Amino acid sequence: MTAPVYGRSIIDAQLALATVRRARSTDLVELRRRLDTALAAARAFRAPDLTDEANARRRADMERTAREQAAADLDQIERATTTAGAQIRAYAQHTAAPAPRGAAEQLLAETRQARAWERARSLLDAGRTTADVISGADLDTLHALRAELPTYLAAQRTKPQGMAAADFTEADPAPLLRTLDRALVDRLPKDQGAALRLRLDLDEAEPGLRETLAGLRRQVDGTADGSDALRSAVAARLADQDAARQAA
C-alpha cells in the first residue's frame, strides 16, 4: 500500500477533490445506466434456436456477467474516491498545520494561546455565545478554542441521575470543530487556509457520496428491492442537506 503523498501542490489536491465530486455526479450515474442496460438486455434475451432451458441459462449468464462487471467498476470508483479523500486529508494536515517551532517559539505560542483561552473563557462565563466568541477570535484564540472549547462545553452539561441517565449522550464535538475550522480558513496564511478549505469541501461532499455508493452496491449485488433506488436518492439528498447545514 502506497503512503499518501501530501507534499504535492494544491492543484493535485484540487484534482483529488474533483475526482470525489465527479464520482457522484458522473461516474456512478454512468455505471448505473450501464448496469440497467445490461440487465435489461439479459432479461429480454431469447434465441429462437435455443430451448427454453438454454435461453434461461444464457439469461442467467448474461445477468451474472453484467453484475460482475458493474461490481468491478464500482470497486474501482470506490478505491479512487477513497484514495483521493486520503490524499486531500493528508495534504491538508501537512499544509494547514502550524510550522514546526523551536522550543522557545513553541513555549511563546503556548503562552499566547493559554492567555487567549483565559480571555475567551471569561467571555463565555459572562454569557457570551460561542458564535460571538468565535466571530471575534484571532488566530491564537481560534487555536485555543479548538483545543479547549469542546471539553469546556461538555463540562457545562450535567449528566442526569438515575433512569434519566440512560438516554443521556455526550455532545458530538464535530460540528463545533467544523465551525472553528471554517473560521480558521479566513485567518490562516493563504496556502494553509486553502488546504483546510479543501478538507472542509471534502467533508461536505463525502456523506452523499457514501449513500450513493451504498445504494448502487445493493443494485449491483441484487439485494435492492423495487423502492431501493428512491430510498437511496432520498438518503443521499438528506446527507447532502445535513452536510450543507453543518458547513453553513
Side-chain angles (χ1 to χ4, degrees), residues 23-47:
R24 170 82 178 281
S25 65
T26 302
D27 298 341
L28 293 177
V29 173
E30 292 180 352
L31 174 54
R32 188 188 303 272
R33 177 185 53 77
R34 291 196 303 272
L35 175 62
D36 288 344
T37 300
L39 290 178
R43 290 161 186 160
F45 177 83
R46 187 181 186 282

Side-chain angles (χ1 to χ4, degrees), residues 5-248:
V5 179
Y6 46 71
R8 293 177 176 175
S9 72
I10 192 170
I11 294 176
D12 293 311
Q14 290 169 335
L15 290 173
L17 181 61
T19 295
V20 173
R21 288 173 167 165
R22 185 179 64 247
R24 170 82 178 281
S25 65
T26 302
D27 298 341
L28 293 177
V29 173
E30 292 180 352
L31 174 54
R32 188 188 303 272
R33 177 185 53 77
R34 291 196 303 272
L35 175 62
D36 288 344
T37 300
L39 290 178
R43 290 161 186 160
F45 177 83
R46 187 181 186 282
D49 57 334
L50 295 179
T51 64
D52 289 346
E53 183 179 353
N55 272 309
R57 287 197 300 269
R58 181 65 180 275
R59 286 193 291 270
D61 287 343
M62 291 173 66
E63 179 172 344
R64 182 172 58 255
T65 298
R67 293 190 186 282
E68 288 174 352
Q69 181 61 59
D73 292 343
L74 187 59
D75 288 343
Q76 183 176 4
I77 293 171
E78 193 162 13
R79 283 194 300 270
T81 55
T82 298
T83 298
Q87 288 177 339
I88 293 167
R89 288 194 170 90
Y91 175 81
Q93 182 178 3
H94 176 74
T95 305
R101 300 183 176 100
E105 188 178 356
Q106 178 68 28
L107 178 60
L108 180 60
E110 290 174 356
T111 300
R112 288 199 311 267
Q113 289 180 27
R115 291 174 178 170
W117 169 241
E118 289 176 2
R119 292 191 297 271
R121 185 176 59 185
S122 67
L123 292 173
L124 293 165
D125 290 341
R128 295 283 292 276
T129 67
T130 56
D132 284 343
V133 174
I134 291 172
S135 66
D138 59 15
L139 188 57
D140 284 330
T141 304
L142 286 174
H143 283 308
L145 289 170
R146 205 180 190 288
E148 304 291 346
L149 190 54
T151 302
Y152 171 88
L153 293 177
Q156 309 308 304
R157 300 181 70 224
T158 303
K159 184 175 181 178
Q161 300 298 312
M163 295 295 294
D167 296 327
F168 179 82
T169 56
E170 295 290 347
D172 181 7
L176 173 63
L177 294 177
R178 280 191 289 270
T179 298
L180 289 164
D181 283 344
R182 286 193 296 274
L184 277 168
V185 165
D186 297 328
R187 292 166 177 77
L188 285 168
K190 182 178 179 180
D191 289 347
Q192 294 179 4
L196 182 55
R197 167 52 62 191
L198 282 170
R199 203 215 72 210
L200 292 171
D201 288 345
L202 175 68
D203 290 344
E204 188 173 348
E206 279 188 325
L209 173 63
R210 284 194 294 267
E211 291 291 347
T212 304
L213 281 166
L216 188 49
R217 180 72 67 183
R218 290 190 294 271
Q219 285 191 272
V220 167
D221 63 24
T223 60
D225 59 29
S227 62
D228 191 82
L230 177 60
R231 290 203 306 272
S232 296
V234 171
R237 180 60 179 163
L238 291 175
D240 288 339
Q241 291 174 349
D242 185 56
R245 188 164 49 247
Q246 294 180 14

